[in-house]
Amino acid sequence: MKLFSLAVVFVVASAGSLCASAATAYPDTCSAAPKNCKIIKEDANFRVIDYTAKAGDKVPMHSHPAHVIYVLQGGKTKFTMEDGSVKELDTKTGDALINPKTVHAAEHLSDLHVIIVEDKK
């Protein structure tokens, strides 16, 4: 519960990364990567996902609503955005990222463990 409360605090702060326009034509994270996702809690407003990935895991193009990522185990990920541009992100344990809605594919270059809190409003 503490982790969820912490994530909610981050949702109301202002920051952002990995910007792109999210289209609903793409599957959501858990549909695109069911082996990586475990839904911890979900209601009408939020979905909390325990997301783990191993080096070499690839996730096809998918969408996210506005979301917060809290990093439990840092790692490096290469994102291919909807427009074809590529961005690498190297997160550290304890990082918190606030992201607008986005569409991307991901290739995990190292192991990673994060909590994702998606805003369903």
Side-chain angles (χ1 to χ4, degrees):
M1 261 340 226
K2 279 178 127 179
L3 185 57
F4 178 72
S5 297
L6 178 62
V8 171
V9 169
F10 286 120
V11 168
V12 298
S14 61
S17 65
L18 302 176
C19 293
S21 64
T24 56
Y26 294 100
D28 68 21
T29 306
C30 294
S31 296
K35 72 176 188 150
N36 302 92
C37 292
K38 177 183 175 195
I39 297 173
I40 298 172
K41 187 76 171 177
E42 184 170 16
D43 66 15
N45 298 311
F46 298 99
R47 180 165 72 160
V48 182
I49 303 164
D50 185 343
Y51 182 89
T52 57
K54 298 288 184 192
D57 283 355
K58 294 181 181 181
V59 181
M61 198 66 67
H62 61 280
S63 65
H64 292 272
H67 61 288
V68 172
I69 297 173
Y70 182 75
V71 182
L72 299 173
Q73 176 188 348
K76 189 178 276 192
T77 304
K78 180 170 72 172
F79 294 97
T80 302
M81 309 312 286
E82 187 177 25
D83 67 3
S85 63
V86 176
K87 300 177 183 181
E88 279 193 19
L89 183 63
D90 189 6
T91 57
K92 307 291 183 232
T93 299
D95 283 353
L97 308 167
I98 301 171
N99 300 296
K101 61 185 178 178
T102 190
V103 171
H104 60 229
E107 178 180 355
H108 296 285
L109 306 176
S110 59
D111 293 356
L112 178 74
H113 186 190
V114 299
I115 298 294
I116 304 171
V117 179
E118 295 181 333
D119 184 351
K120 293 173 63 176
K121 295 181 267 177

